[in-house]
DNA sequence: GGTCAGTTACTCGGATAGAACTTGTCCGAGTTCGGACGG
DNA sequence: CCGTCCGAACTCGGACAAGTTCTATCCGAGTAACTGACC
């Protein structure tokens, strides 16, 4: 079970976009992070479809956060990129084979599914606790210098 | 991010094996669950490599739990089948691009990685809290009838 | 009847193909900006 | 000098391949049990 690398890109981009006042094009975000523009476009497309970022077309177009960074959680991004469904999907093998349980005995999930769901719930809650604003506020503290300033300038440039 | 279906099979098999006194061959476990014998063999092989189950070769061979069911957690099985590594792997894109952070600024994980690691830790703790014995004890309660009895008889048969 | 060797059948273990998903790329539809033109 | 029109460049959006992981399968090495002969 490996999380898509697109999630990492998407979160980084959202943090950067939280600093932007004007729309930032995909090409510039890709340049900043030194990643494939085409593939990053795919991830941003997914974020756009999930109403996390808002597209702006035309000459000075690009992407912008669709709501305040405080209201965007890491979970939102993970679900947008990686899919909202559960990571563990029960195939109900208890209803198969010679000793299969009857359907009416299976009105509630099996113990294994419950254990997995509980763990996944804890994972989701933890991801929901981190907002983009939280992450952004940690960056400068981490490096003990103003990194976000140059980034803001970089994404403000066009070309 | 989807968890391997082999994990589901492996957990089910471990629950069944917790009832067994004599080694149970792969073919019988596959028959009980109505799944591919060959592929199930691969999963059991992984469990064997992780010292969760113990193989017994020869005429009346098969697999048996390597330690009491109380000491086998769901996390053990997930790590054995799906790999022990973290699901989120940071590619350190902060060290790339025109505004790359220097290596000595990155002595500790970035905020995004920390958030992911925290969530994953919560997930692991929840999985560690469920033992195979716990799951087995819930089965009969769930169905309000003795399912484990027939299963014990089934896996005791040979042929 | 007991012991022993040989045979048989069964088991696990690793090496080998196919399918599905992730990763990476491309080109077309639509929109905005800039400049040229006319009033 | 100002408003309008036109062209061009830039943007996003979805459709199209390559690589990697997961899924499924097969056959060989090794071991325990069984059968039969022998003592």
């Amino acid at each position: 079970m490996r999380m898509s690398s697109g999630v990492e890109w998407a979160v980084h981009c959202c943090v950067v976009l939280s600093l932007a006042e004007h729309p930032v094009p995909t090409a510039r975000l890709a340049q900043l992070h030194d990643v494939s523009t085409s593939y990053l476009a795919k991830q941003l497309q997914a974020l756009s479809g999930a109403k996390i970022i808002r597209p702006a077309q035309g000459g000075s177009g690009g992407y912008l956060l669709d709501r305040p960074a405080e209201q965007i959680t890491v979970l939102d991004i993970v679900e947008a990129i990686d899919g909202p469904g559960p990571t563990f999907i029960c195939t109900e093998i208890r209803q198969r084979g010679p000793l299969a349980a009857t359907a009416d005995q299976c009105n509630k999930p099996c113990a294994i599914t419950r254990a997995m769901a509980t763990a996944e719930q804890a994972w989701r809650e933890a991801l929901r606790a981190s907002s983009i604003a939280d992450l952004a506020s940690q960056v400068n503290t981490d490096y003990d210098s103003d990194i976000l300033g140059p980034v803001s300038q970089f994404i403000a440039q066009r070309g």
Side-chain angles (χ1 to χ4, degrees), chain A:
Chain A
M1 186 167 63
R2 209 177 80 264
M3 181 172 292
S4 166
S5 66
V7 172
E8 183 186 7
W9 299 10
V11 177
H12 274 273
C13 285
C14 284
V15 172
V16 170
L17 286 178
S18 73
L19 310 172
E21 276 301 321
H22 305 290
V24 183
T26 304
R28 184 137 282 261
L29 287 171
Q31 185 184 2
L32 173 64
H33 294 116
D34 187 27
V35 297
S36 159
T37 303
S38 307
Y39 189 41
L40 180 60
K42 202 179 188 61
Q43 315 305 334
L44 296 180
Q45 203 169 323
L47 291 179
S48 172
K51 306 285 186 190
I52 294 173
I53 60 178
R54 173 196 303 279
Q57 274 194 336
S60 68
Y63 285 108
L64 215 51
L65 292 187
D66 194 48
R67 55 179 185 269
E70 290 81 10
Q71 298 176 20
I72 300 177
T73 69
V74 176
L75 178 62
D76 293 331
I77 299 173
V78 169
E79 289 187 335
I81 303 292
D82 226 57
T87 66
F88 178 84
I89 39 181
C90 180
T91 59
E92 289 289 338
I93 66 179
R94 61 180 171 175
Q95 295 188 36
R96 301 168 59 180
L99 271 60
T102 59
D104 59 343
Q105 285 179 316
C106 301
N107 47 5
K108 73 172 172 179
C110 71
I112 297 172
T113 304
R114 290 201 301 272
M116 292 292 186
T118 301
E120 213 169 305
Q121 192 66 21
W123 177 71
R124 286 197 146 78
E125 286 304 323
L127 289 182
R128 198 195 314 275
S130 289
S131 76
I132 294 301
D134 294 334
L135 295 180
S137 70
Q138 293 179 40
V139 175
N140 273 341
T141 312
D142 279 358
Y143 297 130
D144 201 24
S145 66
D146 185 28
I147 293 280
L148 268 40
V151 170
S152 295
Q153 291 179 13
F154 184 83
I155 61 177
Q157 298 170 17
R158 300 205 64 84

